[in-house]
Amino acid sequence: MSQQMAPLSARIPADLYTWLAALQLDGATTTSDKLRILLGQLKKEEDLLADPAQAHLWLGERLYPLRQALNRIELQSGQHSDAVTLLLQHSTQLMALLLASKPHTQAQATELEARLVSQTVQMAELLLRQGLGQQHASYDPGVIQQGLGGILALAALYTTPRSET
């Protein structure tokens, strides 16, 4: 079943045209074919990013090259970083939530805030647990301790009884 087509005319900068002409896309032989495929991909991404779970999968695909590079490094070096794994996981979840969120009301903004803070605090707590634990895999054993110094100092101030004025 073929889809009805509508004409489109546009003027684009020469460098974009050169890039589009050189771009290799499966099933595209002309710039029109390429533009049609790219617009379809853009529409599909927009639809996917409306749902946090779908946005998470989409981000996972975009981060796949990073995960592969880290896996190669870990296989070659024999070292692994629990912190990088944790941060990659939680950052992906945070970004998926942000990308999919389009609050229209104060209540929706409040719910978004609660979810973002909850996710971020959970991530910080897991990093703190790694910093306090004796055993955690890390590329640089001191990196968590260095990073947590300021947070621990603030936490100490937070838990110190405040004098009444």
Side-chain angles (χ1 to χ4, degrees), residues 78-84 130 135-144:
Q79 288 184 294
H80 170 76
S81 173
D82 291 337
V84 170
Q130 282 192 358
Q135 296 287 13
H136 65 273
S138 180
Y139 302 139
D140 176 358
V143 72
I144 292 177

Side-chain angles (χ1 to χ4, degrees), residues 8 10 20 25 28 30-40:
L8 173 67
L20 182 62
L25 290 173
T30 67
T31 53
S32 290
D33 292 340
K34 294 173 186 181
L35 189 57
R36 198 170 16 261
I37 289 171
L38 290 173
L39 286 172

Side-chain angles (χ1 to χ4, degrees), residues 144-159:
I144 292 177
Q145 290 300 326
Q146 292 167 357
L148 295 178
I151 292 174
L152 294 174
L154 285 171
L157 289 174
Y158 185 76
T159 58

Side-chain angles (χ1 to χ4, degrees), residues 49 51-64 66-67 84-100 116 119 123:
L49 296 180
D51 172 47
Q54 293 297 317
H56 190 273
L57 291 172
W58 181 84
L59 283 164
E61 290 172 4
R62 299 302 167 283
L63 292 169
Y64 182 73
L66 171 61
R67 286 189 170 101
V84 170
T85 300
L86 167 79
L87 291 168
L88 199 53
Q89 175 188 349
H90 280 269
S91 297
T92 303
Q93 290 172 348
L94 278 170
M95 285 305 301
L97 180 57
L98 288 168
L99 286 170
L116 290 171
Q119 185 72 32
M123 182 171 51

